[in-house]
Amino acid sequence: MLPLSSWHEMKSSFTKFAGVAALLLLAGYAFITLQGPQGVPGLMEKRRLIREYEKKNADMVRKIEEQRARIGRFSDSPSGEMEIKKRLKLVKPGEKVFILQDPPSPPPSGSPSQRQSP
């Protein structure tokens, strides 16, 4: 049998070896995990998407404000109502709409219809 002092030395060295091995395994696991799709590359992709969505959101907010300003211009002026009616062809109940057509343009000079036949 081993003397007691050498038993403690062997137990101590085994404990150190087991601790180092556990740390190496943990470091290896962390390295592999951080390299996967949920690790650093995934985090970078998510940050890129967030920046892209924030930019799109800011563009949409700007467009909405432009549309609100445009709507405000149309609703504040009487000519705005006419513009809306022209574009959307809207008629309020009880209104009468007259559609005027331009008269036909005269044919260009020298056309066969204006020449007199012999």
Side-chain angles (χ1 to χ4, degrees):
M1 225 166 147
L2 291 173
L4 196 55
S5 64
S6 64
W7 172 256
H8 285 294
E9 285 177 28
M10 193 168 81
K11 186 177 179 184
S12 170
S13 63
F14 177 74
T15 305
K16 287 180 185 177
F17 174 75
V20 169
L23 283 175
L24 286 174
L25 284 172
L26 183 63
Y29 178 75
F31 179 76
I32 290 170
T33 302
L34 290 176
Q35 295 301 316
Q38 297 297 323
V40 175
L43 179 64
M44 298 302 284
E45 177 67 16
K46 287 177 186 174
R47 286 184 179 175
R48 185 190 63 79
L49 286 173
I50 288 171
R51 281 192 304 271
E52 183 179 320
Y53 291 145
E54 285 174 344
K55 184 179 181 289
K56 285 181 181 179
N57 192 20
D59 289 342
M60 286 184 200
V61 167
R62 182 185 49 80
K63 286 180 183 178
I64 288 170
E65 289 303 319
E66 288 174 358
Q67 293 293 327
R68 284 186 179 155
R70 186 169 178 234
I71 290 169
R73 283 193 311 266
F74 281 135
S75 64
D76 291 344
S77 66
S79 64
E81 186 174 337
M82 290 304 294
E83 182 69 25
I84 292 171
K85 286 182 180 185
K86 274 198 305 192
R87 286 189 185 189
L88 300 178
K89 298 179 176 38
L90 295 177
V91 179
K92 289 183 180 178
E95 283 185 333
K96 293 182 181 178
V97 177
F98 297 98
I99 300 174
L100 303 176
Q101 294 181 345
D102 291 333
S105 62
S109 64
S111 66
S113 63
Q114 285 187 351
R115 289 187 206 155
Q116 294 180 353
S117 51

